[in-house]
Amino acid sequence: MRRPNILLTGTPGVGKTTLGKELAAKTNLVYVNVGDVAKEGQLYEGYDEEYECPVLDEDRVIDELEDKMTDGGIIVDYHSCDFFPERWFNIVFVLRTENSFLYDRLESRGYRGKKLQDNIQCEIFQTIYEEAMSSYKEEIVYQLPSNTPDDMERNLDQIIQWIEQWIQDNN
């Protein structure tokens, strides 16, 4: 049975990981957190002193995930999306969070100074949404609000319905 590949993307702190893990548990799709894959395989090309984080080696990440993506049934979670091959995804969900919620979430993760401000600005200017719209067909890119637990429940229900319909239409 064919199953869809889904990309969950958005600014850090919007709820991608929480939603992705819940989706995987309820749909039997496989959840893949790109940050975890990179950490496990040391798929980095350096370290960014300003943001105090490793720099992802995007080519090695793609090589690492290619076989899984070909099989289908994968939920990919990452805060950027323009380096993934367009052919990988059947749908892209960009999670969006109001700045007051996002600020508190990022601050609680230890984000400070420029890293905190740049991520808030990224959300204000819809950077990830615009990246998704320019990287994938417009008809497969959707924005979802991700401010409250109720939003997450609605998003879960909506995406599960989409998955069920996709499976029905493609098998």
Side-chain angles (χ1 to χ4, degrees):
M1 176 173 68
R2 294 185 61 220
R3 297 179 306 154
N5 286 332
I6 298 169
L7 175 60
L8 297 178
T9 191
T11 306
V14 296
K16 299 177 299 294
T17 301
T18 303
L19 180 61
K21 288 179 176 178
E22 282 289 318
L23 267 176
K26 292 179 183 258
T27 63
N28 291 319
L29 297 183
V30 175
Y31 171 76
V32 174
N33 181 305
V34 171
D36 291 345
V37 169
K39 190 180 295 181
E40 289 164 14
Q42 290 298 300
L43 307 177
Y44 304 121
E45 58 184 19
Y47 190 81
D48 186 319
E49 297 294 338
E50 186 175 22
Y51 290 105
E52 300 176 348
C53 64
V55 177
L56 194 69
D57 185 330
E58 295 171 352
D59 291 334
R60 288 178 61 206
V61 168
I62 289 170
D63 290 345
E64 182 74 24
L65 295 178
E66 183 74 50
D67 289 342
K68 274 185 184 160
M69 299 307 294
T70 302
D71 295 339
I74 307 294
I75 301 165
V76 173
D77 161 356
Y78 196 57
H79 61 263
S80 181
C81 64
D82 61 350
F83 69 95
F84 297 118
E86 183 180 359
R87 70 181 183 282
W88 276 10
F89 300 107
N90 303 101
I91 196 159
V92 176
F93 293 105
V94 181
L95 300 184
R96 303 295 311 277
T97 299
E98 293 173 20
N99 297 330
S100 57
F101 292 108
L102 187 60
Y103 188 94
D104 292 343
R105 291 177 193 175
L106 293 175
E107 199 173 47
S108 73
R109 291 181 176 190
Y111 284 44
R112 302 278 181 265
K114 182 171 175 49
K115 187 173 185 176
L116 176 61
Q117 291 307 316
D118 285 357
N119 278 289
I120 295 294
Q121 285 184 347
C122 183
E123 187 66 8
I124 290 169
F125 293 119
Q126 303 184 58
T127 304
I128 307 300
Y129 176 66
E130 289 179 7
E131 187 178 284
M133 291 296 283
S134 67
S135 300
Y136 304 96
K137 294 178 189 151
E138 282 185 29
E139 61 268 19
I140 71 164
V141 178
Y142 295 87
Q143 293 186 82
L144 297 174
S146 184
N147 298 303
T148 66
D150 285 344
D151 288 339
M152 192 183 88
E153 285 302 318
R154 275 191 298 277
N155 293 341
L156 258 176
D157 291 344
Q158 184 178 348
I159 296 171
I160 289 169
Q161 285 178 358
W162 180 88
I163 291 168
E164 290 169 350
Q165 187 63 53
W166 190 96
I167 290 171
Q168 186 178 342
D169 292 347
N170 290 278
N171 285 290

